[in-house]
Amino acid sequence: MSGNYYYGDNVNMYGGQGNQGIVKNHGVPGAGQQDPALVAALAELHSLIAALRAQVPAPSAQLLDESLPAVSPDAAVPAQERHRALMAIAGIASTVGAVGQPVAEAVRAIIGMISG
């Protein structure tokens, strides 16, 4: 096997001119791409909300429906709007007790991912 394979940072120095500096070779999603773990967590949250929706009163189900677009994996929404929707979903999940626990835990995990 021949060739150059770079994992992690790569620094190229060619004399005193034309230096490239540090090339970051980390698997960080580029602009416009989301973390695959976040996308998977949001998709899982959608399925959990669908199950919870059938077990809550109509006004709560309507609020869940209104919050779904902001937590869609492919939605380009401001961070504050997504956070607001997640908090609304968590609030509903916490009011229904054990039935809402999986949703509340999923929301906590997503907020942890988003917050860093």
Side-chain angles (χ1 to χ4, degrees):
M1 182 182 271
S2 64
N4 295 325
Y5 299 96
Y6 299 102
Y7 300 97
D9 294 344
N10 178 29
V11 179
N12 294 308
M13 302 295 287
Y14 302 104
Q17 297 177 337
N19 296 324
Q20 293 180 348
I22 296 177
V23 177
K24 298 288 186 180
N25 291 320
H26 300 285
V28 178
Q33 295 179 343
Q34 291 190 38
D35 178 11
L38 177 60
V39 171
L42 289 170
E44 175 66 19
L45 179 62
H46 269 258
S47 65
L48 291 170
I49 289 172
L52 178 64
R53 189 185 183 289
Q55 300 180 41
V56 297
S60 296
Q62 182 178 355
L63 184 54
L64 288 172
D65 290 342
E66 292 169 0
S67 300
L68 280 176
V71 296
S72 176
D74 55 350
V77 296
Q80 184 176 7
E81 184 179 338
R82 179 167 279 173
H83 188 265
R84 186 177 300 123
L86 287 166
M87 295 308 291
I89 293 165
I92 293 168
S94 67
T95 62
V96 294
V99 173
Q101 186 175 358
V103 173
E105 290 174 3
V107 168
R108 268 191 295 275
I110 291 169
I111 289 174
M113 289 179 192
I114 293 172
S115 299

